[in-house]
Amino acid sequence: MTKEEVKKKWASTRKLLEITDSEYNGVTQETANLRFIKTKLQIAVYYLQMLDEHNCEYQVPWNKEQFKWLLRKP
């Protein structure tokens, strides 16, 4: 898989995990927790993207709907 194909594959996931200005500037515990979770998921997605670029085998334990459920606001 080429780097361009990998970037296209992970683009929607990275977009879901972008930290918005309100989340970044928020001072409540809820926004701090959301920033923490999104940051950890961004790191995981980065490493999975690197595995894809090098054609390594792995299984992703989540899908787009599970990401949305995880990042929903209570």
Side-chain angles (χ1 to χ4, degrees):
M1 190 176 281
T2 66
K3 288 186 180 187
E4 289 77 26
E5 291 172 335
V6 170
K7 286 180 182 180
K8 287 179 186 177
K9 177 181 176 181
W10 288 101
S12 63
T13 305
R14 285 194 314 269
K15 184 155 180 71
L16 280 172
L17 295 176
E18 286 179 358
I19 297 174
T20 63
D21 289 339
S22 62
E23 293 166 352
Y24 186 77
N25 296 325
V27 293
T28 65
Q29 186 63 43
E30 179 183 329
T31 56
N33 291 342
L34 194 56
R35 278 193 315 265
F36 178 78
I37 290 169
K38 282 187 172 183
T39 302
K40 293 296 181 184
L41 288 172
Q42 286 171 348
I43 294 167
V45 165
Y46 171 79
Y47 283 110
L48 289 172
Q49 184 177 346
M50 292 298 111
L51 288 172
D52 264 355
E53 285 182 12
H54 298 287
N55 295 322
C56 295
E57 294 293 323
Y58 64 90
Q59 291 182 347
V60 178
W62 56 76
N63 60 31
K64 185 176 180 179
E65 294 304 317
Q66 290 169 322
F67 263 126
K68 286 181 179 180
W69 182 83
L70 176 68
L71 299 173
R72 77 189 189 294
K73 291 189 177 181

